[in-house]
Amino acid sequence: MTVKLFVCASLTLIFFIILLKNSRRKVSEIRAQNGQQFEILLCELFKKAGYKVRTSKFSHDFGADLLIENGGKLIVLQAKYYNRPIDTDAVEEAVVAGTIYGTGYVGVVTNNEIPERVKEFAKQFEAKTFVKKIYLIDGRALERLKRKERIV
């Protein structure tokens, strides 16, 4: 009986370890062939969730991949389909795009994670510049968007 209990407990522990590892690695179920397809998929997800959204042109877009109108404000989002977490460069690109489109509402949307240092960088940027709000949308938020939850 103790051997069975030990085996059962060991298997349960292994199962939870595997589950924990996969939950960290697999941030979003959203899959795309490339960045352009990711932008189109994001546009569809935002529309299904009730947002008024359009993609910009796919090249020479000054970092503006998605243009969302929400509550009378324009939000410019930079899309990053990466197999690694984003860096502060993505936030800087979004801010430049917001400047070009004349809005202080910008953001980055990624299928992956957003590290704490990037979140801190965005907070400092909001506090010290004209930028009113920087939205940081990670893979987990995209899963909520798939369920038609509002995320911006």
Side-chain angles (χ1 to χ4, degrees):
M1 187 66 163
T2 26
V3 171
K4 286 182 181 179
L5 185 61
F6 176 75
V7 169
C8 184
S10 297
L11 290 174
T12 303
L13 182 61
I14 290 169
F15 172 76
F16 282 116
I17 289 171
I18 291 169
L19 189 64
L20 183 62
K21 276 185 169 182
N22 285 341
S23 71
R24 286 184 183 160
R25 190 177 337 130
K26 197 181 206 179
V27 179
S28 174
E29 294 292 326
I30 293 176
R31 301 283 179 252
Q33 298 275 327
N34 54 43
Q36 190 174 13
Q37 185 187 28
F38 183 58
E39 291 174 28
I40 293 167
L41 183 67
L42 288 173
C43 192
E44 291 171 12
L45 286 174
F46 275 102
K47 282 180 181 177
K48 286 180 183 177
Y51 292 95
K52 185 176 180 184
V53 61
R54 64 185 164 95
T55 58
S56 65
K57 54 186 179 177
F58 293 113
S59 62
H60 302 87
D61 59 9
F62 303 104
D65 296 319
L66 296 173
L67 306 169
I68 297 175
E69 290 182 39
N70 187 27
K73 64 185 172 195
L74 175 66
I75 303 170
V76 175
L77 295 178
Q78 170 71 238
K80 295 293 185 188
Y81 187 69
Y82 285 172
N83 60 3
R84 59 178 165 73
I86 65 164
D87 202 348
T88 57
D89 296 353
V91 174
E92 292 170 350
E93 291 171 16
V95 170
V96 168
T99 303
I100 290 168
Y101 282 84
T103 183
Y105 299 95
V106 300
V108 179
V109 57
T110 181
N111 60 308
N112 213 302
E113 298 177 86
I114 299 175
E116 282 303 315
R117 63 184 165 72
V118 174
K119 293 175 185 176
E120 186 58 38
F121 178 78
K123 283 181 194 174
Q124 289 177 11
F125 217 98
E126 283 176 346
K128 296 178 181 178
T129 67
F130 71 94
V131 176
K132 295 178 179 89
K133 177 70 179 163
I134 298 175
Y135 297 93
L136 298 175
I137 304 165
D138 64 4
R140 286 180 180 79
L142 290 180
E143 292 301 319
R144 293 195 329 265
L145 185 65
K146 278 174 55 177
R147 294 188 301 268
K148 299 181 182 174
E149 294 179 30
R150 306 228 9 127
I151 61 172
V152 295

